[in-house]
Amino acid sequence: MRAVIAGPLPEIAHRFSKFLQNTTPHQALVIFTRECTGRPRKVAGSPRIVERVTLDELDAVKQSVTIGGVFDGDAVIAGIRRKVWAVRDNSDSLLVLVPRNSEHDTPKPARLSAMFGIVATSIQQQVAQASPDYLAESRAASSERARTITELTELHEATLASILGTLRSNDLDDRRSRITASETASAALIALRSAGTADRALSEEAVTTAFARLQGELRPLLRHQDVTVDYVEPPADGRALPGEIAHAARAMVRAIVLAFADQTVLTRLRIAWDCDGSNVLIEVRDQGAGKIDRHALTRQLSGRMSTLRGHIDVESIDGWGSRVALTIPLDPPAARPGEQLLSTLNPRELEVLAHLAVGKRNKAIAAELGISESTIKFHVAAVLKKLAVANRGEAGAIGIQAGIMAHETPRPA
C-alpha cells in the first residue's frame, strides 16, 4: 500500500490495480472522486471499458452504494450492463471494479473498503497540498476539457437548432412525425446544455464555498492559539473558482497562517478574499511583532504561484506586523507555442519533462525515478516528438513556462 500511495497522483489507479490483481482479479478499475477537478476519473485496465465509461454512469453506480458500503451486482459501465464491484468511501469517492469473470465471488468487503479508504485518503491529502505538479496537470486538463466542451456545445447546438428549424417549418407534411422529432431534438438540446452545467459543478467551486471550506480547515490549526481571527468573506456573486485555484488558494493560506503562528506573539489575524472578475485576491495580515521569515515563506509559496502565474507580495515590519497578499488569475493564459501539447503527455512523460526543465541528464532522471536509463531515453524521445521540439532545451523551456519543474531531492548528510 505504501507503493500505491507514494507515487504520482495521476498514476494511482494503475498502481492500485496492480496491487489488487492477485486477490481481486479485474479487467478494469475506475476511481471517481470529485476532489480531482482536472480529472475526476482515474482509470486502469481495458481501454474499451475505461475510455468509454461516463460520469453519468459512475454517478448512477454511486447512488446504488451507501456511504461506507460495498455493492456487488450489475450496472451499466461503458454503455454495457456488466457485473461490478463498487465501494463508496466515507470521503464520497467511488471505486468500481469490473471482474475478469462474472462468476468471481465478491472480495472481502471489509478488506476492500479498508484498502480503498487508504487510497481515497491519500488522494484527498495530495489534492489538499496542491503541489505544483498537481496544479500544472490539473490546469492543463481543465483547459483542454473546457476547450473541448465549448467546441462540442457550439457544434451540437448549431446542428440541433437547424434540425428544430426544419421540423418546425409549416411547409413539411406529416405533422405527427414533425412533433415527435421536434420533441426529441429539444430534449437533446436541453441535455447538451445541462452537460456543461454538470461539468462546471465538478470542476468549479463557488468562491463563498471555497472560503467556507478554508475556515473549516483553519480551525484545527488555530485550536490551541490564543488568537482572534477576522474573516472577510468574498462577495456572494463573485466568480466561481476553478477547482485547482480553490485547492491552491486554501493550501497557500494554510501555509501563511502557520508562518504567522510561528511568531512568539500573535493576537489577531485578518483573512480576506475578494474577486475582481479576473483574479482571486487574498490578503492575510496580523497585529504582531513583524517577525515572520519573509524569504522562507516566499520560497514555500513560489512553486504554486509560478505554476498558476500568480503574484505574491510579503511585507513585514518590526513592531508593526506582517501582511501577505496573493493575486491568482482565474483564467489560464493563452496557450504559448507548444503548451497546448502538454495535454498529450502521459503522467510519466510529464515527470520526465519536469526533470528536463531543471537541466537533469538521463542518468540523473533514471536514478530519481527508479527506472532504467534506456527507459528514460525512450520517454525523452516521446516528449520531444509530442511537443514538436528539436531538443531537450526547447522541451525544458516549455516545461518552465508551464510551471512543470522537478524539485531537487535533498542529499543525505
Side-chain angles (χ1 to χ4, degrees):
M1 286 305 297
R2 180 182 294 112
V4 171
I5 66 177
L9 182 57
E11 294 180 350
I12 195 167
H14 291 278
R15 297 191 301 274
F16 193 35
S17 176
K18 182 179 179 180
F19 175 81
L20 290 176
Q21 279 294 359
N22 288 337
T23 57
T24 314
H26 57 276
Q27 55 180 317
L29 177 149
V30 181
I31 298 173
F32 178 40
T33 172
R34 295 177 182 270
E35 298 290 334
C36 296
T37 55
R39 291 196 171 103
R41 295 179 309 167
K42 304 198 178 299
V43 301
S46 170
R48 65 187 176 85
I49 297 177
V50 300
E51 292 178 3
R52 296 176 184 175
V53 63
T54 68
L55 297 183
D56 285 343
E57 290 172 344
L58 295 172
D59 257 331
V61 174
K62 179 183 279 190
Q63 300 312 312
S64 303
V65 192
T66 59
I67 291 181
V70 177
F71 172 80
D72 177 7
D74 294 339
V76 175
I77 295 293
I80 299 176
R81 181 164 289 277
R82 313 170 189 269
K83 177 178 175 61
V84 301
W85 302 318
V87 178
R88 187 176 179 184
D89 184 65
N90 291 334
S91 66
D92 207 29
S93 294
L94 180 74
L95 170 69
V96 175
L97 293 168
V98 179
R100 289 194 180 280
N101 187 329
S102 61
E103 302 303 318
H104 273 309
D105 293 333
T106 308
K108 294 180 180 179
R111 181 176 185 273
L112 189 59
S113 295
M115 291 186 296
F116 181 54
I118 294 172
V119 171
T121 301
S122 174
I123 291 173
Q124 274 191 315
Q125 292 176 342
Q126 291 188 60
V127 172
Q129 290 166 3
S131 70
D133 287 345
Y134 163 76
L135 294 176
E137 195 264 349
S138 183
R139 169 151 274 194
S142 295
S143 300
E144 182 66 15
R145 185 183 63 246
R147 181 190 65 77
T148 301
I149 287 176
T150 299
E151 290 178 356
L152 288 175
T153 300
E154 290 174 353
L155 175 63
H156 284 81
E157 279 192 357
T159 302
L160 290 171
S162 175
I163 292 172
L164 283 174
T166 301
L167 293 173
R168 288 169 176 166
S169 171
N170 293 325
D171 297 331
L172 297 177
D173 296 327
D174 196 353
R175 178 174 176 273
R176 184 68 250 171
S177 65
R178 289 205 315 271
I179 292 174
T180 302
S182 179
E183 290 174 347
T184 301
S186 296
L189 189 58
I190 292 170
L192 177 66
R193 287 171 175 165
S194 67
T197 302
D199 181 78
R200 284 191 294 273
L202 276 173
S203 62
E204 294 183 344
E205 284 187 37
V207 65
T208 49
T209 300
F211 191 72
R213 289 184 65 179
L214 170 70
Q215 294 180 59
E217 293 172 2
L218 291 181
R219 287 190 193 101
L221 300 182
L222 298 171
R223 181 177 301 149
H224 303 297
Q225 296 280 341
D226 187 16
V227 56
T228 300
V229 183
D230 298 322
Y231 292 102
V232 181
E233 296 188 359
D237 59 352
R239 182 177 165 185
L241 306 183
E244 61 269 18
I245 302 297
H247 289 304
R250 288 193 293 268
M252 288 189 284
V253 171
R254 291 197 305 270
I256 294 167
V257 168
L258 287 173
F260 277 65
D262 274 344
Q263 300 176 104
T264 55
V265 177
L266 179 66
T267 59
R268 195 179 190 100
L269 274 176
R270 181 181 185 272
I271 301 172
W273 280 27
D274 199 359
C275 289
D276 63 5
S278 300
N279 305 281
V280 58
L281 310 173
I282 299 172
E283 183 185 74
V284 182
R285 72 166 65 230
D286 74 341
Q287 292 179 352
K291 296 292 186 182
I292 67 168
D293 188 335
R294 292 180 297 157
H295 300 297
L297 182 58
T298 301
R299 285 195 304 272
Q300 185 177 1
L301 302 180
S302 61
R304 297 185 183 99
M305 293 302 285
S306 174
T307 300
L308 299 176
R309 290 184 170 85
H311 175 73
I312 178 172
D313 183 28
V314 182
E315 300 175 350
S316 188
I317 303 175
D318 285 352
W320 290 86
S322 303
R323 170 184 173 272
V324 180
L326 310 177
T327 302
I328 308 175
L330 294 176
D331 294 311
R336 303 182 187 184
E339 283 193 29
Q340 69 274 17
L341 301 176
L342 286 173
S343 61
T344 65
L345 302 185
N346 63 40
R348 178 63 84 185
E349 289 163 353
L350 282 170
E351 279 189 294
V352 171
L353 176 61
H355 290 286
L356 293 179
V358 294
K360 287 187 178 179
R361 309 306 300 172
N362 289 352
K363 186 175 182 179
I365 300 175
E368 185 73 24
L369 299 183
I371 55 182
S372 70
E373 190 172 349
S374 61
T375 302
I376 293 297
K377 290 179 181 178
F378 172 80
H379 287 312
V380 170
V383 169
L384 299 185
K385 182 179 179 180
K386 289 183 178 182
L387 295 184
V389 295
N391 54 56
R392 305 161 65 95
E394 292 178 13
I398 292 175
I400 292 172
Q401 290 172 347
I404 302 175
M405 293 180 289
H407 299 290
E408 291 292 336
T409 302
R411 295 180 178 275

